[in-house]
Amino acid sequence: MKKSIFGLIALATMSLASCSTETKDTTGTASYSVATLVTDMATPDQVPFVAPATYTVYMNWTQWKGSVSTKNQPLKNEAGNSNSLVCDTTAFLYNQLSTDVGYGDVIMFRNLKGDMNGNKELAVMPGSKFVVTSLFYRYNGVVSGVPNMTVNQPAVLMNYYVGNYNVKSIPLDAVYLGTTTTTMGESVPYQNKEIGYRIQLNSKDNKYTAMFVIYNAQFADKMPKLEAIVLKDLPVEFKNGSYSIKAENVVPKMPEAGQLTDNDKYTFESLDISFSGELLNTANIRFDIKGGFKGTFSGSYVNPDILKEPNS
């Protein structure tokens, strides 16, 4: 598994910075495209929906204060629904870390408050969190028949409540790393930390499906390592402020002679993927594969250390 990071977020925002002639403060802004999962908490039976939004982060690096805002956050699954959120300027947490991803940084806002569409009562958000980081996982290799990852900005993780609505960010294309544990029959459990799980969400006619790719698949000590196992067009269900992917008896595709080819030797008799954590950064995966392999995995698409609150 190859890992890489983008340039430091701080340097990126500073490159856009301006120095005020009055305060001499170093300030800057950066905007990020985010896929948001919106849940109406007042009507729990209503299915959450995914909507794109752009969030702008203002940073004052002299005072170590900043703010978050958006002009186009949908809260209802209706054409043209768009809402503005302007958070008050507040202190942020910032840290630089050297991790398994490499060297990068993280910016974290907590307990945001401000106004939604000019209404301050709607946007007092205790427990809210907004994180921007360069410390996320990705796969840089090329697998025949599998689209390359096209992530071109830092990862944005957020969770906040405004009025009756819960808004969270979800990654549309991410690689999760952690520990995979597999067994076959009564065999001793085999653990592997080199397997990467990629989940790419795709939308057509307001319906989401997922491509699920297992990179460097090896489920037993003497099993040859497989470059990739690919499952396409899996159903995605959104519910209770999260989402899941479940399927049965799926014949995967594997690269062979420059193309993806069906391989029923590794048929997934069952697959269950759920997402957890206040920022939905953790994938929990269970699978049963034809021939007896049973596997479990839990891992994140960002280095877990970044979610520990750094020193301000």
Side-chain angles (χ1 to χ4, degrees), residues 143 146 213-217 226-230 253-255 260:
V143 177
V146 178
V213 184
I214 305 178
Y215 294 112
N216 301 325
L226 305 174
E227 181 183 16
I229 299 175
V230 183
K253 297 180 180 293
M254 296 173 63
L260 289 179

Side-chain angles (χ1 to χ4, degrees), residues 1 32 47 104 130 168 174 181 211 304 309:
M1 180 64 55
Y32 304 100
V47 177
F130 188 97
K168 296 175 181 172
T181 302
M211 179 181 71
E309 296 190 359

Side-chain angles (χ1 to χ4, degrees), residues 126-158:
S128 60
K129 194 172 280 189
F130 188 97
V131 178
V132 183
T133 183
S134 56
L135 294 165
F136 64 94
Y137 302 120
R138 62 177 299 170
Y139 185 79
N140 291 329
V142 177
V143 177
S144 298
V146 178
N148 294 337
M149 295 192 72
T150 56
V151 181
N152 56 9
Q153 67 173 39
V156 176
L157 301 88
M158 67 181 183

Side-chain angles (χ1 to χ4, degrees), residues 12-312:
T13 56
M14 286 180 182
S15 70
L16 302 173
S18 60
C19 185
S20 168
T21 57
E22 295 181 0
T23 65
K24 305 298 183 183
D25 288 356
T26 299
T27 63
T29 59
S31 295
Y32 304 100
S33 299
V34 184
T36 60
L37 179 64
V38 181
T39 303
D40 185 350
M41 306 303 293
T43 54
D45 293 336
Q46 188 178 75
V47 177
F49 68 96
V50 178
T54 300
Y55 280 77
T56 298
V57 179
Y58 162 79
M59 311 297 296
N60 184 317
W61 292 100
T62 304
Q63 299 183 25
W64 291 96
K65 291 184 178 182
S67 64
V68 177
S69 63
T70 180
K71 296 180 180 179
N72 64 342
Q73 175 63 62
L75 293 178
K76 295 182 180 180
N77 195 9
E78 301 172 353
N81 184 260
S82 185
N83 301 272
S84 66
L85 171 67
V86 179
C87 295
D88 297 343
T89 300
T90 185
F92 59 86
L93 303 177
Y94 177 74
N95 206 0
Q96 295 180 346
L97 300 170
S98 179
T99 71
D100 59 341
V101 184
Y103 186 77
D105 55 355
V106 54
I107 295 168
M108 181 185 297
F109 290 88
R110 302 170 301 172
N111 301 318
L112 295 168
K113 60 181 180 179
D115 67 74
M116 173 67 77
N117 299 328
N119 188 339
K120 282 189 172 293
E121 293 183 3
L122 283 179
V124 177
M125 300 175 286
S128 60
K129 194 172 280 189
F130 188 97
V131 178
V132 183
T133 183
S134 56
L135 294 165
F136 64 94
Y137 302 120
R138 62 177 299 170
Y139 185 79
N140 291 329
V142 177
V143 177
S144 298
V146 178
N148 294 337
M149 295 192 72
T150 56
V151 181
N152 56 9
Q153 67 173 39
V156 176
L157 301 88
M158 67 181 183
N159 179 17
Y160 67 84
Y161 291 84
V162 56
N164 294 327
Y165 300 96
N166 175 228
V167 181
K168 296 175 181 172
S169 58
I170 61 173
L172 295 181
D173 197 358
V175 170
Y176 296 79
L177 294 184
T179 300
T180 300
T181 302
T182 50
T183 58
M184 176 179 279
E186 300 299 323
S187 65
V188 175
Y190 173 77
Q191 291 193 327
N192 190 335
K193 294 185 178 181
E194 297 301 318
I195 300 176
Y197 297 87
R198 178 183 176 188
I199 298 170
Q200 181 188 69
L201 301 182
N202 302 291
S203 174
K204 184 177 181 181
D205 298 327
N206 292 321
K207 187 174 182 179
Y208 275 83
T209 60
M211 179 181 71
F212 178 56
V213 184
I214 305 178
Y215 294 112
N216 301 325
Q218 186 177 24
F219 306 130
D221 187 43
K222 295 183 179 180
M223 172 184 169
K225 184 181 294 186
L226 305 174
E227 181 183 16
I229 299 175
V230 183
L231 287 72
K232 291 188 174 183
D233 300 323
L234 302 175
V236 180
E237 181 183 17
F238 299 98
K239 188 177 182 180
N240 298 329
S242 186
Y243 57 110
S244 61
I245 301 165
K246 297 181 180 180
E248 294 181 347
N249 299 318
V250 180
V251 177
K253 297 180 180 293
M254 296 173 63
E256 182 179 337
Q259 61 183 0
L260 289 179
T261 304
D262 288 347
N263 190 324
D264 61 6
K265 178 181 178 181
Y266 293 97
T267 296
F268 279 68
E269 296 177 341
S270 68
L271 174 66
D272 188 329
I273 306 174
S274 61
F275 299 87
S276 61
E278 63 174 332
L279 298 173
L280 294 182
N281 60 291
T282 299
N284 308 288
I285 303 173
R286 292 181 176 274
F287 57 82
D288 291 347
I289 296 178
K290 178 181 177 181
F293 283 122
K294 295 181 180 294
T296 60
F297 165 86
S298 182
S300 178
Y301 72 95
V302 295
N303 182 283
D305 289 342
I306 74 158
L307 301 182
K308 298 175 183 177
E309 296 190 359
N311 295 325
S312 56

